[in-house]
Amino acid sequence: MTLRRFLLLALAAWIVATAVAAGPAFASTAPLQLTLPAPTGPHQIGTVSLHLVEAGRPDPWVPGRTRELMISPTYPARHADRYPAAPYMQAAAWEAFEQSIGLSSVLVPQTAAHEGAPLDGHPGGLPVILYSPPSGGDRSFNTVLVQNLAGRGYVVATVDHTYSDAQVEFPDGRVARRVLPEDPTTELVTADVAERDKDMRFVLDELTALDHGANPDAEHRTLPDGVRGALNLHEVGMLGMSEGGATAAATMLDDPRIRAGVNLDGSLREPVATAGLNRPFMLLSAGDHNRDNDPTWASFWNASTGWRRDFQLLGSVHGTYFDGDVLFPQLADALGLTPTQLTDKIGTINPARAITVESTYVDAFFDQHLRHRPERLLNGPSPQFPDMVFVP
């Protein structure tokens, strides 16, 4: 089941439960404002949306179209409070999401990032992390984790994989909806990961052009001040959740520019599942998933010759590793979810604790491999984090 279907089923249940409880007054129920936790890093945060068109590459899913993507580099910023706060999703994309589930009474969360704020650079440039979302998700799905990284001095480029993601809004107002089936075959998922791999390598090419002073945005919209020369493209990592995690491993196999990667609970795909990697890679799994029951993780682990780590978060489920961990508790009363139903979606671990543990380990990984700061946390079990099990 894709994460989009997971969300649709849960929110559809909310609509039914609320409508039954409220009767005709349901339409006048006050909107629910969703919120996100504040980032933990010392920096203010900026973001900018870029529309990228890969000339000469046909879209793999919609005949007759050229491949086009939306990305959002999120970065440490200066004077961010002088610029508008960025919404969790753009208006038309959020509206499309609401329409897809027959919902109009939940207000889009505001993020801590500010649109177009000047980039706060660093001598030698800032390390770069690419982010790939789960199938049926979109580039906003790990905003909490992304903002924590940006607040600690990373430039994180989140990527929408058009027609694989639930909905992608382009600058002219078009919304491209997912065309892949909700429950794709193994062969189709493998093909999707291969296309996502191409997307990510193209994005890295465009970030290189951006760093050299070009404006890769198809509409040539104004870029934030301070972008040119601000990226350290010798220190590039990649992060992904679910199918995005599979994409991280696949892209690293094909692109040596990516030095290190993290997979948030995604099963892997060929060829990297059996080829492994020769560079640093970290697996973070849910409490019911690891090498003992996922043969793709076992074969990848055995074949990899680079630095590798495997950790399992106790009390977590697959949904713990994206922003649903934050958003579902806010919706629980309106959804009419029992405690058991809520834990089925986000696990038994406290959401704030889950965010702290995940962010700490992801931060430590990229600090060690992109900033070359040794992190003892990654060397074995930690008494500070007994809920993150070191899997040797």
Side-chain angles (χ1 to χ4, degrees):
M1 179 185 292
T2 67
L3 279 179
R4 177 172 179 267
R5 184 168 178 80
F6 176 81
L7 285 169
L8 296 185
L9 290 174
L11 289 171
W14 170 40
I15 296 166
V16 172
T18 308
V20 169
F26 174 64
S28 62
T29 301
L32 175 62
Q33 176 64 69
L34 300 178
T35 62
L36 301 173
T40 56
H43 295 280
Q44 295 181 309
I45 302 171
T47 190
V48 62
S49 294
L50 301 177
H51 176 200
L52 307 182
V53 178
E54 188 171 3
R57 179 186 168 198
D59 190 278
W61 310 121
V62 177
R65 298 203 67 92
T66 300
R67 188 63 169 166
E68 57 182 337
L69 309 170
M70 291 298 299
I71 74 168
S72 290
T74 302
Y75 50 85
R78 296 178 286 110
H79 310 303
D81 53 353
R82 301 177 187 176
Y83 294 80
Y88 188 73
M89 292 170 62
Q90 294 300 312
W94 184 258
E95 182 180 358
F97 175 73
E98 289 182 315
Q99 290 174 354
S100 70
I101 56 175
L103 177 66
S104 60
S105 57
V106 174
L107 301 180
V108 63
Q110 296 299 300
T111 73
H114 293 260
E115 295 178 334
L119 188 145
D120 189 4
H122 184 274
L126 299 169
V128 175
I129 299 170
L130 307 176
Y131 167 78
S132 177
S135 175
D138 58 57
R139 70 188 191 274
S140 70
F141 258 45
N142 278 96
T143 293
V144 174
L145 184 57
V146 166
Q147 290 189 156
N148 283 343
L149 287 165
R152 297 189 67 256
Y154 290 94
V155 176
V156 188
T158 62
V159 179
D160 269 332
H161 300 286
T162 313
Y163 303 118
S164 173
D165 285 6
Q167 57 274 315
V168 181
E169 180 180 346
F170 292 101
D172 61 4
R174 286 179 297 126
V175 177
R177 298 176 185 263
R178 177 181 172 91
V179 299
L180 299 185
E182 294 295 344
D183 295 303
T185 64
T186 298
E187 292 76 16
L188 184 56
V189 173
T190 299
D192 188 24
V193 169
E195 295 299 334
R196 287 162 161 256
D197 175 355
K198 296 175 188 177
D199 290 345
M200 302 309 291
R201 287 182 279 150
F202 169 60
V203 167
L204 189 49
D205 291 342
E206 296 297 272
L207 291 176
T208 302
L210 177 70
D211 191 58
H212 291 166
N215 184 347
D217 183 69
E219 287 75 26
H220 299 292
R221 293 169 295 174
T222 302
L223 299 173
D225 290 341
V227 170
R228 182 173 184 172
L231 309 182
N232 182 354
L233 292 166
H234 299 292
E235 303 293 350
V236 177
M238 189 165 169
L239 167 71
M241 191 268 162
S242 193
E243 193 170 310
T247 303
T251 308
M252 281 188 66
L253 182 67
D254 290 334
D255 197 327
R257 293 176 294 177
I258 303 173
R259 296 177 60 92
V262 176
N263 173 10
L264 303 177
D265 204 44
S267 291
L268 300 170
R269 301 294 163 180
E270 295 296 350
V272 73
T274 52
L277 291 171
N278 62 4
R279 302 189 301 290
F281 202 81
M282 183 167 72
L283 302 166
L284 296 183
S285 76
D288 59 354
H289 174 221
N290 208 268
R291 303 195 318 261
D292 58 346
N293 59 14
D294 187 335
T296 70
W297 277 36
S299 60
F300 172 83
W301 182 266
N302 293 332
S304 292
T305 58
W307 186 102
R308 60 188 183 175
R309 289 294 186 273
D310 181 355
F311 293 96
Q312 184 175 44
L313 183 58
L314 297 180
S316 69
V317 295
H318 194 55
T320 306
Y321 280 103
F322 78 107
D323 292 338
D325 196 33
V326 173
L327 299 176
F328 272 120
Q330 298 177 58
L331 291 166
D333 288 343
L335 283 164
L337 294 177
T338 66
T340 299
Q341 290 171 325
L342 181 60
T343 57
D344 284 346
K345 300 181 187 310
I346 66 170
T348 57
I349 186 170
N350 178 276
R353 176 63 178 177
I355 292 167
T356 296
V357 177
E358 293 164 27
S359 291
T360 300
Y361 276 78
V362 171
D363 290 346
F365 175 83
F366 286 121
D367 282 353
Q368 175 159 317
H369 296 292
L370 300 186
R371 288 182 164 144
H372 309 288
R373 301 172 182 170
E375 293 283 350
R376 294 177 59 187
L377 176 68
L378 302 176
N379 293 337
S382 168
Q384 186 180 359
F385 298 101
D387 31 14
M388 188 64 97
V389 176
F390 177 80
V391 183

